[in-house]
Amino acid sequence: KRVILSGIQPTGTPHLGNYFGALTNWVHMQNTAGPEDVMLYAVVGWHALTLPQNPDALRAARNDMLAVLLAIGLDPKKSIIFHQDHNQDHTELSWILSCMTSMGHLLRMTTWKSRFADSKNMQAHASIDEGAMNAGLLTYPVLMAADILTYNATHVPVGDDQTQHLELARDIAERFNKTYGHVFTLPGIIKTSSQRILSLRDPTAKMSKSAPNAASRILLTDTYDQIKAKIRAAVTDSLPGITYDPVGRPGAANLLTILGACTGESPEVAAQRYEGKNFGALKSDLLETLNETLKVPRAEFEKIKADQAYLEGVAKDGARRAREYSSPMLQTVRKAVGLA
Ligand code: TYM
């Protein structure tokens, strides 16, 4: 029996990185699951609070994210789809686990280090106050570990940027088991073949929701014309022909990765079709293929979003089913540490 769990932050519409790095795999795992398998997919609102959020915007994004998950093909009859903040077991476990996690380990996390470097930079330019480096940014990976371990998840489908967080979760689970006896299963990471999609404007950085330039990412809800403008402006190079060379030609490689993710080919195989061609040909094929891929989710999203009662029902039912799995687990943990 597999327990598959993953999460996504409601900080805006998902982009191609989220989609091809993780979400397509959520659907794939759901659709290839055996009758014994349990799938849990969470919209992680608590994680979003580590960065400043406008309450109204967060409320809307949290709701939209649930609609996106349904629009891409997650089925509430098969998967447990829920809001993290509807299950308080995550926060209780997070506290217990934080008391078993060393500060040193958290300070070594690359996400923390890069946020810290950013904030130091901004402080130097006097555009941010010290309060922006909140404690939640540091303990964020412990909450993520709790999300996973609350259900004793065995498989965690995530993109490349979450690998270090997952290693921490395994580490915490191991330490807990050593101290209190075997309670947690060590979770394994599940990756897609296109686990890292890069920014269209700067192919040395990952595609991200927070990059200031909106043309650096294509959103799942982008229209044909929006996709067209972003692909046309995507950074490439001036070498002749097209080859897949992630180190020497990262912009070209990224476009091939995205094309391959749509067609189910490896980027190397996709590249063979463009050997003697130019970027114009690759970009126009990519536009049509991507638009075809996003057509159904885009339309489904609008349809589902219009039915708020349905969304509320899915969230409520998801939270109830999630708690059915987490409650006995929390009871075991409380007993193990001497609190029950
Ligand atoms: P988040 O919301 O940043 O991203 C959601 C998923 O998208 C993947 N991803 C990418 N994959 C490839 N290329 C990219 N450019 C790219 N950008 C994002 C992420 O790897 C992720 O899988 N900490 C998590 C959310 C979380 C979680 C969890 C995940 C909270 N609790 C428990 C798994 C299990 C995050 O911030 O993802």
Side-chain angles (χ1 to χ4, degrees):
K1 171 183 158 184
R2 301 185 303 176
V3 178
I4 299 151
L5 176 132
S6 199
I8 185 163
Q9 295 194 56
T11 43
T13 312
H15 51 66
L16 296 184
N18 302 128
Y19 189 59
F20 291 124
L23 298 180
T24 50
N25 223 7
W26 298 10
V27 178
H28 174 74
M29 298 200 77
Q30 166 191 276
N31 294 344
T32 54
E36 292 273 277
D37 294 341
V38 179
M39 278 83 58
L40 299 123
Y41 297 118
V43 176
V44 295
W46 282 321
H47 278 107
L49 288 182
T50 54
L51 293 176
Q53 303 288 345
N54 171 292
D56 289 328
L58 179 61
R59 223 180 323 273
R62 178 176 170 281
N63 196 45
D64 282 1
M65 186 57 81
L66 199 69
V68 165
L69 297 186
L70 298 168
I72 60 165
L74 288 181
D75 177 355
K77 290 195 194 74
K78 295 181 188 159
S79 296
I80 300 174
I81 306 163
F82 68 110
H83 288 293
Q84 173 197 45
D85 52 283
H86 280 173
N87 186 357
Q88 314 298 316
D89 288 340
H90 295 226
T91 33
E92 182 177 348
L93 184 60
S94 180
W95 175 257
I96 295 171
L97 299 181
S98 75
C99 298
M100 312 211 59
T101 309
S102 83
M103 285 286 286
H105 202 154
L106 293 177
L107 291 166
R108 285 196 301 276
M109 291 281 138
T110 51
T111 33
W112 164 261
K113 285 199 292 193
S114 68
R115 292 267 185 234
F116 193 68
D118 288 351
S119 97
K120 281 278 166 247
N121 251 329
M122 287 192 264
Q123 273 176 51
H125 295 93
S127 61
I128 198 168
D129 65 304
E130 212 189 325
M133 287 310 288
N134 64 71
L137 275 175
L138 181 66
T139 57
Y140 172 116
V142 182
L143 179 57
M144 177 164 160
D147 296 338
I148 296 167
L149 300 175
T150 310
Y151 305 97
N152 247 344
T154 55
H155 296 67
V156 183
V158 283
D160 196 38
D161 58 324
Q162 299 297 320
T163 306
Q164 204 186 22
H165 291 157
L166 205 79
E167 277 159 9
L168 178 80
R170 292 172 61 91
D171 225 74
I172 296 175
E174 249 178 335
R175 184 191 303 259
F176 188 101
N177 288 348
K178 229 181 253 163
T179 312
Y180 295 115
H182 188 87
V183 171
F184 295 121
T185 311
L186 301 196
I189 191 165
I190 303 294
K191 292 181 175 180
T192 60
S193 53
S194 46
Q195 47 172 292
R196 194 172 157 80
I197 303 288
L198 305 174
S199 157
L200 298 178
R201 304 298 307 167
D202 170 14
T204 60
K206 67 173 182 178
M207 187 175 282
S208 92
K209 286 186 202 135
S210 55
N213 190 343
S216 67
R217 55 185 165 265
I218 292 173
L219 306 181
L220 291 193
T221 51
D222 276 354
T223 61
Y224 182 87
D225 288 337
Q226 287 169 319
I227 301 172
K228 187 174 176 178
K230 291 175 186 178
I231 289 182
R232 186 177 288 163
V235 169
T236 52
D237 56 55
S238 49
L239 296 172
I242 287 168
T243 50
Y244 179 70
D245 174 5
V247 179
R249 309 182 71 182
N254 194 37
L255 297 183
L256 291 165
T257 300
I258 297 171
L259 181 65
C262 294
T263 58
E265 300 164 300
S266 72
E268 288 91 340
V269 168
Q272 286 168 7
R273 279 187 274 122
Y274 296 95
E275 258 168 26
K277 296 187 182 162
N278 57 25
F279 280 110
L282 171 60
K283 284 184 169 184
S284 93
D285 284 357
L286 180 58
L287 168 62
E288 299 306 324
T289 311
L290 197 52
N291 187 57
E292 221 24 68
T293 304
L294 300 186
K295 214 181 220 166
V296 172
R298 204 164 48 200
E300 280 295 302
F301 173 69
E302 293 305 331
K303 224 192 290 167
I304 293 166
K305 218 180 124 167
D307 193 348
Q308 287 300 315
Y310 172 65
L311 279 175
E312 266 170 45
V314 168
K316 200 171 164 197
D317 186 54
R320 181 187 55 75
R321 286 157 70 203
R323 281 192 299 264
E324 274 171 21
Y325 287 95
S326 63
S327 300
M329 187 63 183
L330 259 288
Q331 198 49 21
T332 305
V333 170
R334 287 183 205 114
K335 261 194 206 134
V337 301
L339 289 173

